């Protein structure tokens, strides 16, 4: 039973290393270079980097992201039960905002369109349905701060989608990377 | 009783306006230009702007700040029971970090010194005693993100100050502005 014994050894070594890593992380502080962090491109025209997150960095109460959105693109129409702050570093755009399920309508309806420019900041009201679009002709660079990580987000097909038809999807940066199956060396 | 009647009117109008403002804030979203926000200079060599905060903007779970620290200056030695993320936009410096009251010593002791440069990020471990210093010769620009606002901070005179002698001070940007007493027009 060579395979089984090897497997037991691997599992044991993994357990020991995560214990050691866990202790080291709790006691000290790690400086991360932004340029070396993982980049996600799951949403068309939007590049995402998690600066400090629940999945990779053990954050429990707050996450910080940096995102670049190319002209004409943006976030889906969505809502979430958490606080979210945008800090606009460069570029400009429009944030569209409509009432969430707490309102008397059962769908968001025509959103309010609020323009923003560089060196500005805004917060998304709790559970409001919103969308951030780069409505201009240069890249938009924003920092995004959220509470209650990892984010659970409800997506709307359009502004008339009923609240109870919004779909919760897994954001690619909010789930642990799938472990690559180790090849059997035999 | 002219004065009393006027006073009643003022109190009534204040109540109505805060109700109206309250409703407007809850339903909509306000974009704030960073250059127009209040600037605090209470800590020598450190300029603070709250981008989104508990006191002025109704944040309940997360706050975002931008701070500029001149060469040779920095934060006091302090700790807090909340999560804190630094994003280093420009400049560089050193973060000093020592164990908090959960450790077996009753004072922080010699801190670990960890250098950081621009375009990097780091998180302060929960309740760890720390200090961020601009140890270089150009201004240091950082974003600071905290959970559990407003921040309650325990300050240490030096790294040998006992944990139970650390003093909680009111950060100037974490308390409501004192209302200017209205001059009696009589």
């Amino acid at each position: 039973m060579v395979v089984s014994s090897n497997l037991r050894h691997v599992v044991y070594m993994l357990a020991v290393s995560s214990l050691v890593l866990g202790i080291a992380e709790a006691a000290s502080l790690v400086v991360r270079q932004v340029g070396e962090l993982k980049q996600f491109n799951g949403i068309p025209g939007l590049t995402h980097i998690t600066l400090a997150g629940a999945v990779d960095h053990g954050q429990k109460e707050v996450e910080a992201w940096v995102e670049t959105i190319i002209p004409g693109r943006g976030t889906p129409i969505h809502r979430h039960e958490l606080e979210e702050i945008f800090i606009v570093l460069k570029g400009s755009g429009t944030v569209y905002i409509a009432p969430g399920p707490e309102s008397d309508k059962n769908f968001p309806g025509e959103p309010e369109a609020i323009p923003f420019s560089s060196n500005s900041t805004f917060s998304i009201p709790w559970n409001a349905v919103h969308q951030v679009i780069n409505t201009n002709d240069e890249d938009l660079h924003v920092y995004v701060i959220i509470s209650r990580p990892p984010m659970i987000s409800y997506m709307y097909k359009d502004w008339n989608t009923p609240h109870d038809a919004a779909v919760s999807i897994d954001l690619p940066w909010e789930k642990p990377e799938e472990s690559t199956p180790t090849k059997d060396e035999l």
Side-chain angles (χ1 to χ4, degrees), chain A residues 2-64:
Chain A
V2 176
V3 174
S4 160
S5 156
N6 277 350
L7 192 65
R8 265 207 304 271
H9 180 70
V10 168
V11 169
Y12 173 75
M13 288 310 289
L14 279 174
V16 169
S17 353
S18 50
L19 196 69
V20 172
L21 286 172
I23 289 167
E25 274 171 14
S28 190
L29 176 158
V30 177
V31 175
R32 299 182 284 274
Q33 284 304 126
V34 177
E36 293 167 8
L37 293 171
K38 239 183 290 179
Q39 195 169 300
F40 292 89
N41 303 293
I43 300 174
L46 187 152
T47 305
H48 170 104
I49 295 170
T50 296
L51 301 174
V55 171
D56 282 343
H57 315 116
Q59 296 289 137
K60 289 184 171 36
E61 303 194 341
V62 56
E63 277 193 4

Side-chain angles (χ1 to χ4, degrees), chain A residues 63-185:
Chain A
E63 277 193 4
W65 310 341
V66 60
E67 293 185 339
T68 302
I69 301 175
I70 64 170
R73 294 294 194 159
T75 73
I77 302 172
H78 69 290
R79 67 177 164 85
H80 29 59
E81 293 185 335
L82 50 78
E83 285 191 359
E84 184 175 43
I85 303 169
F86 281 81
I87 304 170
V88 186
L89 202 60
K90 209 161 160 277
S92 55
T94 304
V95 50
Y96 298 89
I97 187 130
E102 291 81 7
S103 78
D104 50 6
K105 273 192 301 194
N106 69 343
F107 63 97
E110 191 63 33
E112 191 182 352
I114 303 167
F116 59 82
S117 54
S118 78
N119 213 20
S120 71
T121 182
F122 55 89
S123 300
I124 305 296
W126 186 274
N127 219 15
V129 185
H130 62 286
Q131 183 177 36
V132 174
I133 301 277
N134 180 349
T135 41
N136 283 291
D137 51 11
E138 59 165 340
D139 282 0
L140 169 65
H141 297 269
V142 290
Y143 287 109
V144 182
I145 317 299
I146 61 153
S147 66
R148 308 196 178 211
M151 177 186 274
I152 296 169
S153 195
Y154 293 89
M155 308 291 175
Y156 290 70
K157 218 174 143 185
D158 56 47
W159 296 97
N160 295 321
T161 302
H163 291 303
D164 57 14
V167 182
S168 147
I169 69 152
D170 277 347
L171 292 166
W173 53 85
E174 293 290 37
K175 49 184 179 185
E177 209 163 8
E178 275 161 44
S179 54
T180 322
T182 320
K183 272 196 186 147
D184 192 333
E185 305 236 339

